[in-house]
Amino acid sequence: MMAGGNARYVRYIAIAIFTLALFYFVSNSKYDAAAIRAGITKAGGSTQTETQQPPTDGSSGDTKQPPQQKPPQQKPPVKNNKDGEISTTKKPPAGDAKEYPLALSPEDPKWDVDLVGIAPGPRMNATFVSLARNSDVWDIARSIRQVEDRFNRRYNYDWVFLNDKPFDATFKKVTSSLVSGNTYYGEIPKEHWSFPEWIDQEKAKKVREDMAERNIIYGDSISYRHMCRFESGFFFRQPLMLNYEYYWRVEPSIELYCDIHYDPFRVMAETGKKYSFVLSLYEYVETIKTLWDSTKKFMKNHPEHIAEDNSMGFLSDDNGDSYNHCHFWSNFEIGNLDWLRSKPYMDYFESLDQDGGFFYERWGDAPVHSIAAGLLLNKSEIHFFNDIAYWHVPFTHCPTGEKTRLALQCHCNPKENFDWKGYSCTSRFFDINGIAKPEGYENQQD
Ligand SMILES: Nc1nc2c(ncn2[C@@H]2O[C@H](COP(=O)(O)OP(=O)(O)OP(=O)(O)O)[C@@H](O)[C@H]2O)c(=O)[nH]1
Ligand SMILES: *[C@@H]1O[C@H](CO)[C@@H](O)[C@H](O)[C@H]1NC(C)=O
Ligand SMILES: *[C@@H]1O[C@H](CO)[C@@H](O)[C@H](O)[C@H]1NC(C)=O
Ligand SMILES: [Mg+2]
């Protein structure tokens, strides 16, 4: 009887101590959590709403000024990889191109820095750009996470989002929390996302019905056609895009499989590149039946725009008589916006737009950009980024060469690399440019 009572008494004390300890622990850790959360709040909560807005009141209108920079940041100290010093700013430490040379391969000096902290060196006048619907939010979130983890968390470039409808609060909240640079949201004006007045609606409708019957992918879609026309002729002219010289296009649900050690924008700027790609292939003929005829008409009307050292050999097997349907896949692009805004490109786009093939067929922005790059640029202005490993359903670019894949900590399966397969045009790109194909390409031909 006595023993039993004692045991119960001891048990009560043990429970009391445990409860007290638990209470103490929980209240203390709550305190810590609050402190940590305050520390990582992006740019201080007060500036967040500001940075979510475009530089002017709306997305359209005349914005000639560059986007405002975020005010000085209260960020947790970041370890800067230069010599382990602690830096508290988000902007890169001062350092010019000479001090921090581009390290493009493991043999180059300063390649072997740890990929932590903010990358030293200059920044280009550049932004990421994504066209998206509100319903794309989780798919674009996946893409952003990949781009940030493999590259932008060390470079903090801006990101512009464009939509034919207003972006909703969730879209802005989720995307701005993921992007390490400033985010801007633009609404596309109606004139850039509708039928031009010269389009015969009846004729366009018949085409859609016919393509639907023949099961041509997106053949019956009006919005897909607006999208292709917008990406062909308008995204680079949106007020928010006028603030930049270079862009990197990112679509929903893409993957990046390797670390990006160097700044691709800098490669573009310092080597005079205007357009770049990672995947190329043959276009679906049914969607572009008369695109080459329209192109030939343009070439005849504007011989002054055709570059002397162009890439006709990439586009045509008979010196321009017919199109071989090769194009760079435009869901990935890093390019020069000033080139797209130039007279040669604009004359080409306007000539195509007049012919109506965005609606009377289903011309894609990929062949349009590619033909423009192939004819209006010199060969040396188009770049293939072997180092940027990429997937957009259903094709993969996984760098050829084990040495590269290991150095870049890639997680793609080299067997899935599309570059040297029969349906890719990348081999042709190498051939016309007289570039040696990377070691091991023969083993990936099928
Ligand atoms: N705002 C907006 N964006 C669109 C619309 N249609 C397509 N997009 C965007 O335009 C880009 C291309 O569209 P996708 O649907 O990916 O077309 P695709 O790459 O040819 O085909 P998928 O294989 O489906 O990816 C993506 O960034 C889309 O988010 C639209 O109606 N409105
Ligand atoms: C960036 O490029 C745009 C377009 O060329 C230009 O208007 C702007 O002045 C440039 N900004 C800077 C900071 O160089
Ligand atoms: C192409 O190169 C030639 C010289 O080889 C030059 O005269 C011309 O301006 C260049 N064109 C473009 C579009 O860069
Ligand atoms: Mg897509």
Side-chain angles (χ1 to χ4, degrees), residues 41-113:
T41 299
K42 186 176 167 181
S46 59
T47 62
Q48 245 214 324
T49 41
E50 235 173 88
T51 59
Q52 286 187 15
Q53 300 305 326
T56 52
D57 52 340
S59 51
S60 44
D62 243 351
T63 62
K64 286 273 151 58
Q65 308 118 301
Q68 319 158 258
Q69 294 301 314
K70 277 181 181 166
Q73 315 258 319
Q74 231 102 67
K75 285 209 94 179
V78 209
K79 206 161 163 240
N80 158 8
N81 61 26
K82 193 179 163 197
D83 37 23
E85 74 201 8
I86 299 294
S87 138
T88 49
T89 57
K90 177 168 157 176
K91 285 292 151 203
D96 62 12
K98 270 207 207 78
E99 195 183 345
Y100 297 101
L102 261 172
L104 298 175
S105 78
E107 287 74 41
D108 295 340
K110 304 213 176 181
W111 163 270
D112 213 9
V113 295

Side-chain angles (χ1 to χ4, degrees), residues 22 74 166 177 185 197 205 232 255 265 303 308 379 416 425:
L22 194 68
Q74 231 102 67
S177 82
Y185 301 86
E197 87 266 353
K205 186 160 168 254
S232 297
E255 304 272 348
F265 290 126
E308 206 172 295
K379 281 197 199 111
E416 277 159 27
C425 293

Side-chain angles (χ1 to χ4, degrees), residues 274 305 307-309 376-378 381:
K274 301 277 171 62
H305 289 336
E308 206 172 295
D309 190 23
L376 309 178
L377 298 177
N378 281 331
E381 296 175 297

Side-chain angles (χ1 to χ4, degrees), residues 386-404:
N386 186 47
D387 291 339
I388 302 182
Y390 177 81
W391 176 83
H392 175 294
V393 66
F395 299 118
T396 301
H397 164 66
C398 184
T400 310
E402 186 176 55
K403 201 169 131 212
T404 304

Side-chain angles (χ1 to χ4, degrees), residues 125 242-245 338 341:
N125 185 359
L242 298 178
N243 297 318
Y244 304 97
E245 190 179 353
D338 288 335
R341 292 185 285 246

Side-chain angles (χ1 to χ4, degrees), residues 275-347:
Y275 193 78
S276 69
F277 72 101
V278 291
L279 283 160
S280 71
L281 69 160
Y282 294 95
E283 180 60 303
Y284 189 11
V285 189
E286 291 302 312
T287 65
I288 50 151
K289 277 186 170 159
T290 67
L291 176 58
W292 195 250
D293 289 338
S294 285
T295 300
K296 285 205 282 193
K297 185 171 91 186
F298 164 80
M299 285 192 275
K300 206 159 144 222
N301 291 341
H302 290 285
E304 75 279 12
H305 289 336
I306 308 304
E308 206 172 295
D309 190 23
N310 60 58
S311 306
M312 185 61 96
F314 179 76
L315 303 169
S316 174
D317 300 344
D318 49 21
N319 208 21
D321 194 33
S322 66
Y323 181 33
N324 62 21
H325 310 124
C326 276
H327 66 288
F328 308 120
W329 217 23
S330 64
N331 48 66
F332 168 99
E333 308 181 298
I334 301 176
N336 185 308
L337 293 160
D338 288 335
W339 169 57
L340 294 172
R341 292 185 285 246
S342 72
K343 185 156 170 46
Y345 185 86
M346 285 309 304
D347 282 349

